[in-house]
Amino acid sequence: MPLSGRWTLTRYLIEERRRYPGASGDFNALILDVALACKAIARIVAFGPLADALGTALPEASAVGGEVNVQGEVQKPLDVLSNEIFVRMNEWNGHLAGMASEEMAQPAQIPPSYQRGKYLLVFDPLDGSSNIDVNVSVGSIFSILRAPEDVIASGRDVTESDFLQPGATQMAAGYAIYGPTTMLVLSVGNGVAGFTLNPNLGEFVLSHPNIQIPADTTEFAINTSNSRFWEPPVKRYVDECLAGKTGPRGKDFNMRWVASMVADVHRILCRGGVFLYPWDAREPDKPGKLRLMYEANPMAFLIEQAGGAATNGRQRILDLMPAKLHERVSVILGSKNEVERATAYHLEADGKTAS
Ligand code: AHM
Ligand code: MG
């Protein structure tokens, strides 16, 4: 068990890689570049409404090639700027075959002037960005996949289909949360570790080794303003929570909804809970609001690695085969017993029994 507070992210990654004596170090180097992008975004987010007025105080903006006007002010919205930071800080390192982002319609190619590598980086550069205006936590979510073998061998341009892999194949996933403190929460497939940014050192330091989600919880998170559009099993699950001690669950529940998935998932990793963003009848043709590749898969990977569960109400999220890059999905994740209960309600409503 590592001594928390003494291990930097770099040391954690080196110790983890000792399990793979033949590892080249590319994977670790890639994660450190992703972490650097998150630190740059954290710095910009910290300026809040001053970011525009103090454009010249943000060297990151020009470093990533953002549009800067004659006053040196950053003119781009934060989510576009965050996207550019992710792209610019990862395209040069030789570890990537390509990138895909919630903010880009098509995958980003590694420019011909740089080497191409064996990984694919998928990200939501600034999730929950509607919370920026009200100074509530936001974050960046990322996922690392292995590129298909022919992409690695040929170094050809990537296409959308190269990214369409089930979440279970992720090599690593994580998020940075820009809150009262900046944290990086990461899984390289061997549990989940949380690192707090030491602002004096500019280093992520291990503060939450081996994060585990309790199987039971009395806290749920859902946007109840959509309740009239929910499917019956979702309504049943939430009604039973609301009924509290005298209802079928026999216990009182608490509710939280930050409207920033990173913050809601972070709370669940810290103290348990269940998060639901289900399909609803507002836009019946969309399978859900959240994106499978950029939000659901990386979060489901972390949640499972921490002992929790994640489904779309009917199937394990990590087993879903994406049909397109920007695919949306219903999400139920968190404490295992609650996710299994809510999933069982869906299967029961479909006339199937839970497996
Ligand atoms: P975004 O990627 O456009 O920021 O949207 C995703 C966010 C999640 O972080 C959050 O859980 C959800 O949208 C909140 O949605 P709503 O405002 O419908 O409650
Ligand atoms: Mg998002």
Side-chain angles (χ1 to χ4, degrees), residues 102-103 124-129 141 261 290-291 294-295:
E102 190 176 301
E103 299 293 338
D124 179 354
L126 201 62
D127 182 61
S129 52
I141 309 172
M261 190 191 196
L290 300 176
R291 318 280 176 141
Y294 315 111
E295 293 164 331

Side-chain angles (χ1 to χ4, degrees), residues 102-103 124 126-131 141 222-223 225-226 257-264 275 277 282 289-291 295:
E102 190 176 301
E103 299 293 338
D124 179 354
L126 201 62
D127 182 61
S129 52
S130 68
N131 277 316
I141 309 172
I222 190 167
N223 184 342
S225 70
N226 298 323
W257 185 250
V258 185
S260 193
M261 190 191 196
V262 168
D264 280 313
F275 168 98
Y277 208 123
R282 277 174 304 169
K289 173 179 180 181
L290 300 176
R291 318 280 176 141
E295 293 164 331

Side-chain angles (χ1 to χ4, degrees), residues 51-59 61-62 67-75:
D52 282 348
L54 298 181
T56 51
L58 299 175
S62 47
E67 292 287 330
V68 177
N69 68 14
V70 283
Q71 285 85 30
E73 292 172 355
V74 183
Q75 294 178 307

Side-chain angles (χ1 to χ4, degrees), residues 41-42 44-45 77-83 86 101-103 123-130 132 137-141 176 178 260 262 295:
I41 296 168
I44 292 174
V45 167
L78 273 184
D79 41 10
V80 178
L81 186 54
S82 304
N83 190 70
F86 255 87
S101 157
E102 190 176 301
E103 299 293 338
F123 52 91
D124 179 354
L126 201 62
D127 182 61
S129 52
S130 68
I132 281 281
S137 299
V138 291
S140 304
I141 309 172
Y178 313 119
S260 193
V262 168
E295 293 164 331

Side-chain angles (χ1 to χ4, degrees), residues 17 72 91 184 217 256:
R17 284 302 102 178
E91 66 183 0
L184 185 85
T217 181
R256 287 284 182 274

